[in-house]
Amino acid sequence: MANPSPAKSMGDPGITPLSPSHTQPSFVVVVAIDFGTTSSGYAYAFTKEPECIHTMRRWEGGDPGVSNQKTPTTILLTPDRKFHSFGYAARDFYHDLDPSESKQWLYLEKFKMKLHTTANLSIDTDLHAANGKRVKALDIFAYALAFFKEQALKELSDQTGGEFDNNDVRWVITVPAIWKMPAKQFMREAAYKSGLVSRENPDQLIIALEPEAASIYCRKLRLHQMVDLGTHSTQNGCSPTDNVGGGMTQAKEHVRRNRQSRTFLVENVIGELWSELEEGDRYVVVDCGGGTVDLTVHQIRLPEGHLKELYKASGGPYGSIGIDYEFEKLLCRIFGQDFIDQFKIKRPAAWVDLMIAFESRKRAAAPDRSNPLNINLPFSFIDYYKNVDFVKWSSQGMLRMSPDAMNSLFKSTIDHIIQHLTELFEKPEVSDIKFLFLVGGFAESPLLQHAVQDMLQGRSRIIIPHDVGLTILKGAVLFGLDPSIIKVRRAPLTYGVGVLNRFVDGKHPPEKLLVKDGTRWCTDVFDTFIAADQSVALGEMVKRSYTPAKPSQQVIVIHVYCSEKEKAGFISEPGVRKCGTLRLDVSGTESAAPRREIQTLMQFGDTEIRAMAVDVSTGRTVKASIDFLSH
């Protein structure tokens, strides 16, 4: 363990803003990948025409009743674990396999949530395929990213009429803002493994936070590109309060007619909404996806319209897949848990069919619906049914759900979101919110829209962009074109390291006393780099100096600790956990100085934490990296 020179770790926090690390290298195009829990896609813009955002070409396949601008996040591996297909292609191929064959193939869906829910995420974390077999999560994420790389480069080559070089692309991958550092690093490792970018050129990839991306896009909205639930004005020829979903339907129709061009013009002006905002105005972005719901509070900084995060991102695993789980629980009540478990293993493709049928009916749920919803069941199901009163069978052998039964499947997920919003709106930083932007695929649900309206009682206007499922994708492209747009973020956790400080009687607990060469030290002192919820400017640096414990030492390893509490005195306190290691490779920088000083710079204002280090006596850089994935 390196001993930081005690003088250096006392008092002076040593924070100095540095110019942002994202200098604009000469990329020709920015490609953003929205790697979602339920569906994924990509979009791109050429740096010469930043106002033209192109979304990916239409996918082969697609579902009735679901607009297929993105493709399902499903992946299929051959029986010998090689990549076979992704998206609709994976689903359709798997579906057409003979049941005896399909057991051999590895089919995965909705696997992104594993990165959020795994407590000790590591490079070796496993996922389970539909047939119960285990596969390495890193392989699956790398296969998916390699698929998007190939699709995007192919489309770019077709567009430009020549072989498009990956080195000309700046890649952006979106992740939920509430993800912890290990999950973000995992995504980066998968990108390295997939060949999207190389370790030698890490700046070619930016990790973007989903609600931030949505926020950046929402600044550009014009009135004809959104539904405003808070006004009675007519947009798209319908009054939003008559039928919340109606405006969406017409908007979708408009998009569908223009689908072939697949290019969105983002006018290089501030949208009308934005022009109503004044210096210091606040708004909330609620990003409701398949897996997570992410809430971010931003404040506007004029004249450039930069954004400042006012309250650290919050949310949780309350995405729309919660409704799928409720449906599965309902099926277990009807058919029995054993039958459902067996059915999923014995007829995995029929189970996928059933969930597809449910997906399109799920989208038809609305607060004012009075007629029942019919769900097609695979024939193999129908032999087994038992009668229950809340679900009926139609004469065609469909499962018939009353609107109440359907709406009850949404209740627990929507309740979680509303509870979270209610708590957020009670925070002092979150008073006087002018707009609430509802984005993400789940934002299309009239039930969710209605619940948010009820909760807010007119306290702020609710804005839903058209094409709400592509909001994050388009915003991520804009972020890749100019990553410095978000100037101030909030630290989600308190980060620091354990150090020795001079022991002070009366201040330090006696059990922490360590006497070394006649000097009295206090062990386990938490030396804070940055505190939870502290404002951090983009490019802001924390400076610390360390010395190797032995002159011959080649690598200094310093454990990084984190806590959700703002203040921590000692690394042994409850709630403080080791979350990563800072490695300083000092080999090849021998110096004559009797005491070597390695100055470490850590950057916190970005979506990822970066580290750099310099050997003070020689001025040479030392390799520095922070690893959050090894335990």
Side-chain angles (χ1 to χ4, degrees):
M1 168 71 199
N3 298 326
S5 55
K8 286 278 169 33
S9 51
M10 305 281 283
D12 169 31
I15 288 195
T16 52
L18 208 82
S19 58
S21 58
H22 299 302
T23 47
Q24 283 297 336
S26 52
F27 295 115
V28 178
V29 69
V30 169
V31 181
I33 300 173
D34 177 0
F35 195 134
T37 304
T38 44
S39 60
S40 297
Y42 65 89
Y44 58 94
F46 292 97
T47 46
K48 284 199 176 71
E49 322 173 87
E51 58 289 330
C52 283
I53 298 179
H54 310 265
T55 59
M56 61 254 143
R57 293 189 280 211
R58 294 200 60 169
W59 301 98
E60 296 302 310
D63 293 335
V66 178
S67 69
N68 54 339
Q69 290 185 321
K70 294 202 279 188
T71 194
T73 308
T74 51
I75 196 164
L76 182 64
L77 307 188
T78 61
D80 58 358
R81 297 176 175 253
K82 298 274 184 295
F83 175 79
H84 179 272
S85 47
F86 187 90
Y88 289 117
R91 227 173 55 182
D92 296 346
F93 186 90
Y94 179 63
H95 170 257
D96 293 340
L97 286 169
D98 184 77
S100 59
E101 252 187 303
S102 66
K103 286 199 208 54
Q104 310 307 313
W105 290 68
L106 290 95
Y107 178 81
L108 292 100
E109 61 179 355
K110 297 175 185 159
F111 48 84
K112 176 181 164 188
M113 277 303 281
K114 184 85 178 183
L115 298 196
H116 182 68
T117 52
T118 305
N120 288 335
L121 186 66
S122 78
I123 289 295
D124 300 320
T125 294
D126 279 339
L127 297 170
H128 285 94
N131 62 2
K133 290 188 178 150
R134 295 155 81 99
V135 275
K136 285 244 175 301
L138 192 70
D139 292 345
I140 296 301
F141 280 83
Y143 280 142
L145 291 173
F147 167 80
F148 280 113
K149 174 189 172 186
E150 187 192 336
Q151 294 289 320
L153 289 178
K154 194 158 166 271
E155 184 169 341
L156 288 165
S157 298
D158 291 352
Q159 273 234 344
T160 51
E163 195 64 25
F164 204 87
D165 186 354
N166 189 42
N167 292 326
D168 291 334
V169 180
R170 160 166 269 170
W171 293 96
V172 180
I173 299 177
T174 63
V175 305
I178 52 173
W179 269 16
K180 304 273 193 291
M181 285 298 166
K184 292 179 193 169
Q185 187 186 330
F186 188 94
M187 220 30 153
R188 184 168 276 284
E189 292 294 333
Y192 292 148
K193 182 159 189 166
S194 70
L196 197 69
V197 297
S198 69
R199 275 182 209 283
E200 290 67 53
N201 190 8
D203 284 350
Q204 194 186 349
L205 168 68
I206 301 179
I207 302 283
L209 308 181
E210 286 159 11
E212 282 192 358
S215 183
I216 292 166
Y217 178 69
C218 287
R219 317 160 23 128
K220 302 273 189 184
L221 284 176
R222 310 301 303 267
L223 288 177
H224 63 271
Q225 294 170 317
M226 61 195 194
V227 177
D228 184 340
L229 297 188
T231 65
H232 293 269
S233 65
T234 306
Q235 280 145 21
N236 302 312
C238 78
S239 157
T241 43
D242 298 346
N243 172 3
V244 172
M248 280 292 184
T249 316
Q250 276 177 309
K252 276 192 192 149
E253 205 31 62
H254 172 71
V255 171
R256 207 163 282 137
R257 282 199 299 274
N258 299 348
R259 178 66 59 71
Q260 293 320 312
S261 71
R262 321 279 301 135
T263 299
F264 295 86
L265 277 175
V266 180
E267 295 166 58
N268 214 353
V269 295
I270 295 295
E272 284 100 335
L273 262 193
W274 222 251
S275 56
E276 292 180 37
L277 287 173
E278 292 160 12
E279 169 80 52
D281 275 351
R282 301 146 183 231
Y283 63 95
V284 175
V285 176
V286 183
D287 168 21
C288 309
T292 49
V293 168
D294 246 356
L295 296 89
T296 302
V297 186
H298 277 159
Q299 186 174 41
I300 190 90
R301 306 258 294 266
L302 298 174
E304 303 89 358
H306 287 135
L307 305 183
K308 171 181 179 180
E309 188 181 13
L310 277 189
Y311 182 72
K312 62 174 191 255
S314 62
Y318 318 133
S320 57
I321 54 173
I323 300 149
D324 304 348
Y325 293 138
E326 290 297 324
F327 178 61
E328 197 175 313
K329 284 194 321 214
L330 174 74
L331 292 175
C332 291
R333 293 220 300 277
I334 302 172
F335 301 100
Q337 179 86 42
D338 288 352
F339 169 64
I340 296 294
D341 290 348
Q342 283 304 307
F343 187 79
K344 280 161 86 171
I345 291 165
K346 295 227 168 72
R347 294 276 183 279
W351 174 256
V352 170
D353 263 4
L354 172 59
M355 292 316 279
I356 294 168
F358 174 67
E359 177 68 33
S360 66
R361 305 317 293 143
K362 172 171 106 176
R363 288 162 187 260
D368 47 3
R369 190 185 174 96
S370 53
N371 51 333
L373 295 121
N374 289 331
I375 297 168
N376 272 313
L377 287 178
F379 179 74
S380 42
F381 238 86
I382 294 170
D383 310 342
Y384 283 85
Y385 82 85
K386 299 180 184 139
N387 258 329
V388 282
D389 51 3
F390 46 88
V391 173
K392 297 280 178 271
W393 296 87
S394 77
S395 53
Q396 293 87 24
M398 288 185 184
L399 192 60
R400 229 186 147 127
M401 293 185 71
S402 71
D404 285 351
M406 186 59 147
N407 293 1
S408 69
L409 299 182
F410 284 74
K411 188 174 175 343
S412 123
T413 302
I414 288 180
D415 284 353
H416 271 303
I417 296 170
I418 296 301
Q419 183 190 345
H420 209 93
L421 266 175
T422 308
E423 287 168 12
L424 184 71
F425 270 76
E426 283 166 1
K427 305 255 188 276
E429 303 91 324
V430 191
S431 56
D432 296 333
I433 296 293
K434 205 151 190 180
F435 299 114
L436 181 142
F437 291 103
L438 210 48
V439 303
F442 191 20
E444 287 184 43
S445 159
L447 291 169
L448 177 61
Q449 295 172 1
H450 196 261
V452 173
Q453 262 181 303
D454 271 3
M455 179 232 122
L456 281 177
Q457 300 282 313
R459 278 183 291 176
S460 68
R461 280 165 60 191
I462 302 168
I463 307 290
I464 304 172
H466 289 162
D467 241 3
V468 69
L470 296 178
T471 304
I472 288 161
L473 202 41
K474 293 185 233 170
V477 173
L478 294 170
F479 181 63
L481 291 165
D482 177 16
S484 65
I485 195 158
I486 301 207
K487 286 286 185 239
V488 179
R489 290 188 173 86
R490 294 274 168 168
L493 297 168
T494 297
Y495 288 99
V497 296
V499 299
L500 295 176
N501 274 351
R502 291 291 172 105
F503 192 87
V504 180
D505 288 311
K507 178 187 167 192
H508 291 141
E511 67 274 13
K512 300 278 182 201
L513 174 64
L514 169 76
V515 181
K516 205 171 168 188
D517 303 333
T519 309
R520 300 166 78 236
W521 297 99
C522 176
T523 61
D524 294 347
V525 175
F526 188 101
D527 179 19
T528 303
F529 291 157
I530 197 153
D533 212 25
Q534 181 181 336
S535 279
V536 201
L538 183 67
E540 207 162 284
M541 291 281 192
V542 178
K543 264 192 203 159
R544 286 291 190 279
S545 291
Y546 299 103
T547 56
K550 300 187 206 67
S552 59
Q553 208 168 328
Q554 300 290 297
V555 177
I556 305 176
V557 176
I558 297 154
H559 297 306
V560 178
Y561 294 85
C562 67
S563 167
E564 295 192 4
K565 295 189 303 224
E566 272 177 57
K567 288 194 170 69
F570 296 96
I571 59 173
S572 50
E573 284 175 16
V576 175
R577 58 190 174 82
K578 189 181 130 189
C579 64
T581 45
L582 172 65
R583 283 177 66 88
L584 305 174
D585 185 341
V586 296
S587 56
T589 55
E590 280 67 30
S591 78
R595 203 178 151 78
R596 292 178 66 189
E597 183 184 332
I598 307 296
Q599 192 173 63
T600 309
L601 297 166
M602 269 159 288
Q603 192 177 34
F604 284 91
D606 228 321
T607 57
E608 298 173 274
I609 299 175
R610 298 152 174 261
M612 289 143 263
V614 177
D615 186 334
V616 176
S617 63
T618 61
R620 265 190 260 170
T621 49
V622 170
K623 271 205 196 132
S625 61
I626 300 188
D627 181 13
F628 290 103
L629 282 171
S630 54
H631 298 294

